[in-house]
Amino acid sequence: MKNGHTTSCGCQVNPTEHCHFTEGTFVEAIETRTTPRNNTSGVRGVSWDQRSQRWVARIGFQGKTYYLGSYERLEDARAARLRGEEMYDEFLDWYHSTADAYPVARSG
């Protein structure tokens, strides 16, 4: 805060009021599904494996990383990742259908 680049020490916004963590998952993280800036494939969860010379698809969910396979073509790895994201959709359907009845555990 002293150098002028930070406007809050964290007291202005309480992340536990805005982030929902339930069943080992940050709900907002899987709802947004943004691709990290350092991703070079253009597809979240897909990377180039230099050793095997293949595209590798993975997905993280509920604290675990799932290997979705390696592929010669980026399009095939993208399709595998999209199939893997179906577990996100199922989880979000469950979460939103039970949000009122299910006590949400807050992070923090």
Side-chain angles (χ1 to χ4, degrees), residues 10-30:
C11 62
Q12 291 180 353
V13 177
N14 183 351
T16 62
E17 292 179 9
H18 303 286
C19 296
H20 299 92
F21 185 77
T22 187
E23 299 293 318
T25 302
F26 279 108
V27 175
E28 289 78 10
I30 65 172

Side-chain angles (χ1 to χ4, degrees), residues 33-40 42-45:
R33 299 183 198 181
T34 57
T35 303
R37 287 185 219 154
N38 64 347
N39 180 296
T40 57
V43 182
R44 183 176 183 89

